[in-house]
Amino acid sequence: MLGIVGTVPKEDFPMTCGRVESKGDHLLIKGRQVEINRGTPSMIAAAVETLKYMNQSAPYCYLVGDVGDGKGCEKLYRHLIDTLDQTSFNTISFHYFQPDVHRFRDMMKSIDKIKKRPTLIADAGFMYVAKMAGLAPSFDLFTPDAGELAYLADEKAPHPFYTRGFILHEENLVPDLIRRAYEHGNAAVNLLVKGEKDHIANQKGILSVVEEPSEENLEPIGGTGDTLTGIVSGLIASGMDLLSACIVAAKTNRIAGAYARPTPASQIHQIIKYIPRALEELIDQ
């Protein structure tokens, strides 16, 4: 079973936990609607479609409204600390969350008490706090884009805002950033680096590169990186081995984008609906 933790950018959205279903351009959780635009909702919607195709149950999600002040995240951290050790997820994926090193460490202690430790996946803010806490290697998979990878690769940056300029220089290509991140212990066991080319890597180096199909019009559409994390989370929770899941997810995300024939005005939910068709092409071929 897949658990997903994240936030929605609404101050008045209360902490809500439960199974999620997707209806058009909205998610439904405990009678509440969440618009599928980008961020955690896009990740969840992609996971919903993936799990549905794989004949698995819908993800159990932990959501809270937070507009950057950390108040919502603080409530959800406390809930996770108190309850995660009682769960039986085989995979937990974490998306954007306000970094709080102290509470993060307490949450990880709760996860360590789960009878069978789940596969841990992190994107966005959860990668940041894992690095800040010195616990990045405790995760099985990070899914950064090149900018987020640059922060992981900078062993001296205490926050993404302070990533040193030379790390971000265009000559520092993804393979070098991957090497630096592992060299300084700031990467998960595996990396799925999202970009014009998707790189799958571990401490030994790059294991696979996915670059086709390439759909230029996807670039201005927010949420395509989030959907990739949702797809790979759903595949891993369904029992696919991690490396295969990363490769299939990267290809699925690209094929779904191509099927959608996007324009700069396209919305992410218009791409997500093609995930099952893309999976069918890859898995049942």
Side-chain angles (χ1 to χ4, degrees):
M1 183 170 63
L2 174 62
I4 297 178
V5 179
T7 59
V8 293
K10 291 184 177 181
E11 190 171 14
D12 59 349
F13 191 89
M15 186 175 70
T16 308
C17 308
R19 299 259 183 202
V20 175
E21 59 179 315
S22 180
K23 294 287 185 181
D25 61 351
H26 283 78
L27 298 173
L28 297 177
I29 177 171
K30 291 284 187 174
R32 296 186 173 88
Q33 285 194 346
V34 181
E35 185 180 1
I36 301 169
N37 43 27
R38 62 178 64 198
T40 304
S42 294
M43 174 185 167
I44 293 172
V48 167
E49 293 300 323
T50 302
L51 290 166
K52 189 185 302 181
Y53 179 80
M54 301 296 286
N55 293 316
Q56 300 291 316
S57 58
Y60 188 95
C61 297
Y62 299 82
L63 288 175
V64 72
D66 198 295
V67 292
D69 58 11
K71 293 180 180 178
C73 291
E74 181 181 343
K75 294 177 183 177
L76 190 45
Y77 263 126
R78 289 201 300 264
H79 180 73
L80 294 169
I81 291 165
D82 291 339
T83 63
L84 276 181
D85 62 342
Q86 302 160 37
T87 64
S88 57
F89 299 116
N90 66 15
T91 307
I92 307 177
S93 291
F94 300 88
H95 198 260
Y96 179 74
F97 228 54
Q98 190 82 2
D100 184 321
V101 170
H102 177 71
R103 290 190 173 90
F104 172 81
R105 285 176 175 156
D106 286 343
M107 184 198 74
M108 293 297 288
K109 290 177 184 177
S110 183
I111 290 173
D112 287 339
K113 295 176 184 177
I114 297 175
K115 188 174 182 180
K116 186 176 180 181
R117 197 173 191 275
T119 298
L120 299 182
I121 302 169
D123 193 2
F126 253 97
M127 294 186 296
Y128 297 162
V129 70
K131 176 194 171 184
M132 293 173 188
L135 293 175
S138 298
F139 281 75
D140 299 279
L141 180 66
F142 279 174
T143 58
D145 59 26
E148 292 164 335
L149 178 61
Y151 167 63
L152 300 177
D154 189 344
E155 75 281 6
K156 293 187 177 181
H159 186 277
F161 183 77
Y162 299 105
T163 301
R164 289 173 291 172
F166 78 91
I167 297 286
L168 296 168
H169 195 278
E170 63 182 2
E171 291 182 3
N172 283 297
L173 301 178
V174 166
D176 184 49
L177 295 176
I178 290 172
R179 179 190 59 76
R180 288 182 61 97
Y182 279 112
E183 184 179 307
H184 298 289
N186 293 325
V189 177
N190 300 276
L191 293 174
L192 171 51
V193 184
K194 304 173 285 194
E196 185 177 345
K197 297 179 182 180
D198 300 316
H199 294 75
I200 297 102
N202 62 19
Q203 196 163 15
K204 295 179 181 178
I206 294 172
L207 305 175
S208 184
V209 178
V210 178
E211 53 185 310
E212 297 292 341
S214 180
E215 185 64 51
E216 188 175 336
N217 285 335
L218 286 175
E219 291 301 317
I221 300 173
T224 53
D226 305 310
T227 57
L228 178 51
T229 305
I231 296 167
V232 75
S233 298
L235 292 174
I236 291 171
S238 299
M240 189 176 290
D241 70 88
L242 194 144
L243 176 58
S244 297
C246 287
I247 294 171
V248 171
K251 291 180 178 179
T252 297
N253 205 42
R254 290 168 175 272
I255 293 170
Y259 280 144
R261 296 183 179 179
T263 71
S266 296
Q267 300 298 308
I268 192 62
H269 66 86
Q270 296 171 305
I271 296 169
I272 290 171
K273 69 180 182 180
Y274 286 103
I275 289 173
R277 182 177 169 185
L279 285 168
E280 182 178 17
E281 179 177 327
L282 291 166
I283 293 177
D284 295 339
Q285 59 184 354

PDB file of all heavy atoms in Angstrom, residues 93-116:
ATOM      1  N   SER A  93       5.793   7.987   0.043  1.00  0.00           N
ATOM      2  CA  SER A  93       6.377   9.057  -0.766  1.00  0.00           C
ATOM      3  C   SER A  93       6.068  10.400  -0.132  1.00  0.00           C
ATOM      4  O   SER A  93       4.919  10.688   0.215  1.00  0.00           O
ATOM      5  CB  SER A  93       5.813   9.022  -2.191  1.00  0.00           C
ATOM      6  OG  SER A  93       6.283   7.887  -2.877  1.00  0.00           O
ATOM      7  N   PHE A  94       7.103  11.208  -0.004  1.00  0.00           N
ATOM      8  CA  PHE A  94       6.988  12.518   0.630  1.00  0.00           C
ATOM      9  C   PHE A  94       7.217  13.605  -0.413  1.00  0.00           C
ATOM     10  O   PHE A  94       8.186  13.548  -1.171  1.00  0.00           O
ATOM     11  CB  PHE A  94       8.030  12.664   1.741  1.00  0.00           C
ATOM     12  CG  PHE A  94       7.905  11.653   2.846  1.00  0.00           C
ATOM     13  CD1 PHE A  94       8.543  10.419   2.754  1.00  0.00           C
ATOM     14  CD2 PHE A  94       7.159  11.922   3.976  1.00  0.00           C
ATOM     15  CE1 PHE A  94       8.453   9.481   3.777  1.00  0.00           C
ATOM     16  CE2 PHE A  94       7.052  10.993   5.012  1.00  0.00           C
ATOM     17  CZ  PHE A  94       7.700   9.769   4.899  1.00  0.00           C
ATOM     18  N   HIS A  95       6.338  14.599  -0.414  1.00  0.00           N
ATOM     19  CA  HIS A  95       6.490  15.686  -1.377  1.00  0.00           C
ATOM     20  C   HIS A  95       6.846  16.964  -0.625  1.00  0.00           C
ATOM     21  O   HIS A  95       7.623  16.933   0.327  1.00  0.00           O
ATOM     22  CB  HIS A  95       5.219  15.837  -2.212  1.00  0.00           C
ATOM     23  CG  HIS A  95       5.428  16.601  -3.466  1.00  0.00           C
ATOM     24  ND1 HIS A  95       5.100  17.923  -3.607  1.00  0.00           N
ATOM     25  CD2 HIS A  95       5.978  16.230  -4.647  1.00  0.00           C
ATOM     26  CE1 HIS A  95       5.433  18.332  -4.826  1.00  0.00           C
ATOM     27  NE2 HIS A  95       5.964  17.332  -5.471  1.00  0.00           N
ATOM     28  N   TYR A  96       6.286  18.085  -1.036  1.00  0.00           N
ATOM     29  CA  TYR A  96       6.698  19.342  -0.407  1.00  0.00           C
ATOM     30  C   TYR A  96       6.254  19.397   1.044  1.00  0.00           C
ATOM     31  O   TYR A  96       5.108  19.114   1.375  1.00  0.00           O
ATOM     32  CB  TYR A  96       6.157  20.578  -1.139  1.00  0.00           C
ATOM     33  CG  TYR A  96       6.606  21.823  -0.407  1.00  0.00           C
ATOM     34  CD1 TYR A  96       7.932  22.235  -0.501  1.00  0.00           C
ATOM     35  CD2 TYR A  96       5.770  22.479   0.470  1.00  0.00           C
ATOM     36  CE1 TYR A  96       8.398  23.294   0.250  1.00  0.00           C
ATOM     37  CE2 TYR A  96       6.224  23.544   1.221  1.00  0.00           C
ATOM     38  CZ  TYR A  96       7.532  23.947   1.104  1.00  0.00           C
ATOM     39  OH  TYR A  96       7.983  24.983   1.865  1.00  0.00           O
ATOM     40  N   PHE A  97       7.156  19.816   1.914  1.00  0.00           N
ATOM     41  CA  PHE A  97       6.866  20.002   3.323  1.00  0.00           C
ATOM     42  C   PHE A  97       7.842  21.024   3.860  1.00  0.00           C
ATOM     43  O   PHE A  97       8.995  21.080   3.424  1.00  0.00           O
ATOM     44  CB  PHE A  97       7.040  18.664   4.064  1.00  0.00           C
ATOM     45  CG  PHE A  97       5.905  18.317   4.981  1.00  0.00           C
ATOM     46  CD1 PHE A  97       4.605  18.288   4.519  1.00  0.00           C
ATOM     47  CD2 PHE A  97       6.145  18.005   6.308  1.00  0.00           C
ATOM     48  CE1 PHE A  97       3.556  17.956   5.357  1.00  0.00           C
ATOM     49  CE2 PHE A  97       5.111  17.664   7.159  1.00  0.00           C
ATOM     50  CZ  PHE A  97       3.814  17.640   6.679  1.00  0.00           C
ATOM     51  N   GLN A  98       7.391  21.822   4.784  1.00  0.00           N
ATOM     52  CA  GLN A  98       8.258  22.837   5.386  1.00  0.00           C
ATOM     53  C   GLN A  98       9.386  22.145   6.160  1.00  0.00           C
ATOM     54  O   GLN A  98       9.126  21.323   7.039  1.00  0.00           O
ATOM     55  CB  GLN A  98       7.448  23.715   6.345  1.00  0.00           C
ATOM     56  CG  GLN A  98       8.182  24.936   6.851  1.00  0.00           C
ATOM     57  CD  GLN A  98       8.142  26.076   5.856  1.00  0.00           C
ATOM     58  OE1 GLN A  98       7.538  25.968   4.812  1.00  0.00           O
ATOM     59  NE2 GLN A  98       8.784  27.177   6.189  1.00  0.00           N
ATOM     60  N   PRO A  99      10.647  22.420   5.821  1.00  0.00           N
ATOM     61  CA  PRO A  99      11.745  21.754   6.531  1.00  0.00           C
ATOM     62  C   PRO A  99      11.734  22.058   8.028  1.00  0.00           C
ATOM     63  O   PRO A  99      11.654  23.206   8.442  1.00  0.00           O
ATOM     64  CB  PRO A  99      12.995  22.331   5.861  1.00  0.00           C
ATOM     65  CG  PRO A  99      12.542  22.740   4.498  1.00  0.00           C
ATOM     66  CD  PRO A  99      11.139  23.251   4.709  1.00  0.00           C
ATOM     67  N   ASP A 100      11.782  20.999   8.827  1.00  0.00           N
ATOM     68  CA  ASP A 100      11.873  21.103  10.284  1.00  0.00           C
ATOM     69  C   ASP A 100      12.717  19.911  10.727  1.00  0.00           C
ATOM     70  O   ASP A 100      12.215  18.794  10.855  1.00  0.00           O
ATOM     71  CB  ASP A 100      10.471  21.055  10.915  1.00  0.00           C
ATOM     72  CG  ASP A 100      10.499  21.258  12.423  1.00  0.00           C
ATOM     73  OD1 ASP A 100      11.428  20.735  13.078  1.00  0.00           O
ATOM     74  OD2 ASP A 100       9.594  21.929  12.953  1.00  0.00           O
ATOM     75  N   VAL A 101      13.994  20.143  10.895  1.00  0.00           N
ATOM     76  CA  VAL A 101      14.935  19.046  11.122  1.00  0.00           C
ATOM     77  C   VAL A 101      14.588  18.244  12.364  1.00  0.00           C
ATOM     78  O   VAL A 101      14.631  17.004  12.353  1.00  0.00           O
ATOM     79  CB  VAL A 101      16.379  19.591  11.211  1.00  0.00           C
ATOM     80  CG1 VAL A 101      17.332  18.495  11.684  1.00  0.00           C
ATOM     81  CG2 VAL A 101      16.829  20.129   9.860  1.00  0.00           C
ATOM     82  N   HIS A 102      14.237  18.918  13.452  1.00  0.00           N
ATOM     83  CA  HIS A 102      13.938  18.221  14.706  1.00  0.00           C
ATOM     84  C   HIS A 102      12.750  17.280  14.529  1.00  0.00           C
ATOM     85  O   HIS A 102      12.832  16.086  14.858  1.00  0.00           O
ATOM     86  CB  HIS A 102      13.660  19.226  15.820  1.00  0.00           C
ATOM     87  CG  HIS A 102      13.269  18.603  17.117  1.00  0.00           C
ATOM     88  ND1 HIS A 102      14.151  17.907  17.917  1.00  0.00           N
ATOM     89  CD2 HIS A 102      12.057  18.549  17.746  1.00  0.00           C
ATOM     90  CE1 HIS A 102      13.516  17.456  18.989  1.00  0.00           C
ATOM     91  NE2 HIS A 102      12.248  17.832  18.913  1.00  0.00           N
ATOM     92  N   ARG A 103      11.639  17.807  14.007  1.00  0.00           N
ATOM     93  CA  ARG A 103      10.453  16.968  13.829  1.00  0.00           C
ATOM     94  C   ARG A 103      10.687  15.903  12.754  1.00  0.00           C
ATOM     95  O   ARG A 103      10.151  14.801  12.847  1.00  0.00           O
ATOM     96  CB  ARG A 103       9.236  17.835  13.492  1.00  0.00           C
ATOM     97  CG  ARG A 103       8.759  18.679  14.668  1.00  0.00           C
ATOM     98  CD  ARG A 103       7.422  19.349  14.383  1.00  0.00           C
ATOM     99  NE  ARG A 103       6.912  19.999  15.576  1.00  0.00           N
ATOM    100  CZ  ARG A 103       7.169  21.259  15.915  1.00  0.00           C
ATOM    101  NH1 ARG A 103       7.952  21.991  15.140  1.00  0.00           N
ATOM    102  NH2 ARG A 103       6.662  21.784  17.019  1.00  0.00           N
ATOM    103  N   PHE A 104      11.466  16.235  11.743  1.00  0.00           N
ATOM    104  CA  PHE A 104      11.776  15.250  10.709  1.00  0.00           C
ATOM    105  C   PHE A 104      12.495  14.052  11.318  1.00  0.00           C
ATOM    106  O   PHE A 104      12.168  12.896  11.017  1.00  0.00           O
ATOM    107  CB  PHE A 104      12.638  15.893   9.623  1.00  0.00           C
ATOM    108  CG  PHE A 104      13.170  14.920   8.609  1.00  0.00           C
ATOM    109  CD1 PHE A 104      12.377  14.491   7.549  1.00  0.00           C
ATOM    110  CD2 PHE A 104      14.458  14.421   8.715  1.00  0.00           C
ATOM    111  CE1 PHE A 104      12.860  13.580   6.626  1.00  0.00           C
ATOM    112  CE2 PHE A 104      14.955  13.516   7.789  1.00  0.00           C
ATOM    113  CZ  PHE A 104      14.152  13.094   6.737  1.00  0.00           C
ATOM    114  N   ARG A 105      13.465  14.300  12.166  1.00  0.00           N
ATOM    115  CA  ARG A 105      14.204  13.201  12.791  1.00  0.00           C
ATOM    116  C   ARG A 105      13.286  12.347  13.658  1.00  0.00           C
ATOM    117  O   ARG A 105      13.395  11.113  13.680  1.00  0.00           O
ATOM    118  CB  ARG A 105      15.366  13.757  13.606  1.00  0.00           C
ATOM    119  CG  ARG A 105      16.534  14.247  12.754  1.00  0.00           C
ATOM    120  CD  ARG A 105      17.613  14.879  13.590  1.00  0.00           C
ATOM    121  NE  ARG A 105      18.780  15.233  12.783  1.00  0.00           N
ATOM    122  CZ  ARG A 105      19.647  16.168  13.098  1.00  0.00           C
ATOM    123  NH1 ARG A 105      19.504  16.848  14.234  1.00  0.00           N
ATOM    124  NH2 ARG A 105      20.678  16.434  12.313  1.00  0.00           N
ATOM    125  N   ASP A 106      12.360  12.999  14.367  1.00  0.00           N
ATOM    126  CA  ASP A 106      11.404  12.245  15.184  1.00  0.00           C
ATOM    127  C   ASP A 106      10.483  11.405  14.293  1.00  0.00           C
ATOM    128  O   ASP A 106      10.126  10.276  14.651  1.00  0.00           O
ATOM    129  CB  ASP A 106      10.575  13.188  16.047  1.00  0.00           C
ATOM    130  CG  ASP A 106      11.361  13.757  17.222  1.00  0.00           C
ATOM    131  OD1 ASP A 106      12.427  13.185  17.554  1.00  0.00           O
ATOM    132  OD2 ASP A 106      10.930  14.771  17.794  1.00  0.00           O
ATOM    133  N   MET A 107      10.112  11.942  13.152  1.00  0.00           N
ATOM    134  CA  MET A 107       9.274  11.195  12.216  1.00  0.00           C
ATOM    135  C   MET A 107      10.021   9.970  11.698  1.00  0.00           C
ATOM    136  O   MET A 107       9.456   8.878  11.570  1.00  0.00           O
ATOM    137  CB  MET A 107       8.853  12.090  11.053  1.00  0.00           C
ATOM    138  CG  MET A 107       7.895  11.426  10.076  1.00  0.00           C
ATOM    139  SD  MET A 107       7.834  12.274   8.490  1.00  0.00           S
ATOM    140  CE  MET A 107       9.426  11.784   7.784  1.00  0.00           C
ATOM    141  N   MET A 108      11.300  10.131  11.381  1.00  0.00           N
ATOM    142  CA  MET A 108      12.087   9.013  10.888  1.00  0.00           C
ATOM    143  C   MET A 108      12.234   7.924  11.964  1.00  0.00           C
ATOM    144  O   MET A 108      12.251   6.728  11.656  1.00  0.00           O
ATOM    145  CB  MET A 108      13.465   9.501  10.439  1.00  0.00           C
ATOM    146  CG  MET A 108      13.429  10.403   9.207  1.00  0.00           C
ATOM    147  SD  MET A 108      12.789   9.590   7.729  1.00  0.00           S
ATOM    148  CE  MET A 108      14.148   8.480   7.340  1.00  0.00           C
ATOM    149  N   LYS A 109      12.303   8.318  13.217  1.00  0.00           N
ATOM    150  CA  LYS A 109      12.351   7.339  14.311  1.00  0.00           C
ATOM    151  C   LYS A 109      11.057   6.535  14.349  1.00  0.00           C
ATOM    152  O   LYS A 109      11.075   5.325  14.625  1.00  0.00           O
ATOM    153  CB  LYS A 109      12.579   8.050  15.644  1.00  0.00           C
ATOM    154  CG  LYS A 109      13.974   8.642  15.815  1.00  0.00           C
ATOM    155  CD  LYS A 109      14.090   9.395  17.132  1.00  0.00           C
ATOM    156  CE  LYS A 109      15.454  10.061  17.263  1.00  0.00           C
ATOM    157  NZ  LYS A 109      15.559  10.868  18.516  1.00  0.00           N
ATOM    158  N   SER A 110       9.942   7.197  14.085  1.00  0.00           N
ATOM    159  CA  SER A 110       8.652   6.499  14.041  1.00  0.00           C
ATOM    160  C   SER A 110       8.627   5.500  12.885  1.00  0.00           C
ATOM    161  O   SER A 110       8.150   4.368  13.033  1.00  0.00           O
ATOM    162  CB  SER A 110       7.516   7.512  13.900  1.00  0.00           C
ATOM    163  OG  SER A 110       6.248   6.871  13.932  1.00  0.00           O
ATOM    164  N   ILE A 111       9.167   5.896  11.734  1.00  0.00           N
ATOM    165  CA  ILE A 111       9.223   4.996  10.580  1.00  0.00           C
ATOM    166  C   ILE A 111      10.094   3.789  10.892  1.00  0.00           C
ATOM    167  O   ILE A 111       9.779   2.654  10.505  1.00  0.00           O
ATOM    168  CB  ILE A 111       9.757   5.742   9.338  1.00  0.00           C
ATOM    169  CG1 ILE A 111       8.705   6.759   8.851  1.00  0.00           C
ATOM    170  CG2 ILE A 111      10.113   4.776   8.218  1.00  0.00           C
ATOM    171  CD1 ILE A 111       9.192   7.661   7.742  1.00  0.00           C
ATOM    172  N   ASP A 112      11.178   3.996  11.614  1.00  0.00           N
ATOM    173  CA  ASP A 112      12.093   2.901  11.961  1.00  0.00           C
ATOM    174  C   ASP A 112      11.421   1.835  12.818  1.00  0.00           C
ATOM    175  O   ASP A 112      11.914   0.701  12.899  1.00  0.00           O
ATOM    176  CB  ASP A 112      13.330   3.438  12.678  1.00  0.00           C
ATOM    177  CG  ASP A 112      14.279   4.183  11.743  1.00  0.00           C
ATOM    178  OD1 ASP A 112      14.206   3.947  10.523  1.00  0.00           O
ATOM    179  OD2 ASP A 112      15.067   5.016  12.238  1.00  0.00           O
ATOM    180  N   LYS A 113      10.300   2.186  13.440  1.00  0.00           N
ATOM    181  CA  LYS A 113       9.596   1.236  14.303  1.00  0.00           C
ATOM    182  C   LYS A 113       8.586   0.387  13.535  1.00  0.00           C
ATOM    183  O   LYS A 113       8.021  -0.555  14.098  1.00  0.00           O
ATOM    184  CB  LYS A 113       8.889   1.982  15.438  1.00  0.00           C
ATOM    185  CG  LYS A 113       9.832   2.691  16.413  1.00  0.00           C
ATOM    186  CD  LYS A 113       9.041   3.488  17.439  1.00  0.00           C
ATOM    187  CE  LYS A 113       9.968   4.280  18.358  1.00  0.00           C
ATOM    188  NZ  LYS A 113       9.198   5.128  19.313  1.00  0.00           N
ATOM    189  N   ILE A 114       8.330   0.720  12.269  1.00  0.00           N
ATOM    190  CA  ILE A 114       7.398  -0.077  11.473  1.00  0.00           C
ATOM    191  C   ILE A 114       7.962  -1.483  11.321  1.00  0.00           C
ATOM    192  O   ILE A 114       9.156  -1.665  11.052  1.00  0.00           O
ATOM    193  CB  ILE A 114       7.166   0.577  10.092  1.00  0.00           C
ATOM    194  CG1 ILE A 114       6.519   1.967  10.266  1.00  0.00           C
ATOM    195  CG2 ILE A 114       6.272  -0.298   9.212  1.00  0.00           C
ATOM    196  CD1 ILE A 114       6.375   2.737   8.968  1.00  0.00           C
ATOM    197  N   LYS A 115       7.109  -2.476  11.489  1.00  0.00           N
ATOM    198  CA  LYS A 115       7.567  -3.871  11.506  1.00  0.00           C
ATOM    199  C   LYS A 115       8.372  -4.225  10.266  1.00  0.00           C
ATOM    200  O   LYS A 115       9.451  -4.810  10.356  1.00  0.00           O
ATOM    201  CB  LYS A 115       6.361  -4.800  11.644  1.00  0.00           C
ATOM    202  CG  LYS A 115       6.742  -6.250  11.852  1.00  0.00           C
ATOM    203  CD  LYS A 115       5.523  -7.099  12.140  1.00  0.00           C
ATOM    204  CE  LYS A 115       5.920  -8.551  12.402  1.00  0.00           C
ATOM    205  NZ  LYS A 115       4.736  -9.406  12.682  1.00  0.00           N
ATOM    206  N   LYS A 116       7.860  -3.898   9.084  1.00  0.00           N
ATOM    207  CA  LYS A 116       8.600  -4.092   7.845  1.00  0.00           C
ATOM    208  C   LYS A 116       8.814  -2.727   7.224  1.00  0.00           C
ATOM    209  O   LYS A 116       7.886  -2.091   6.763  1.00  0.00           O
ATOM    210  CB  LYS A 116       7.842  -4.997   6.876  1.00  0.00           C
ATOM    211  CG  LYS A 116       8.651  -5.330   5.626  1.00  0.00           C
ATOM    212  CD  LYS A 116       7.915  -6.308   4.729  1.00  0.00           C
ATOM    213  CE  LYS A 116       8.753  -6.629   3.494  1.00  0.00           C
ATOM    214  NZ  LYS A 116       8.041  -7.574   2.579  1.00  0.00           N
TER     215      LYS A 116
END
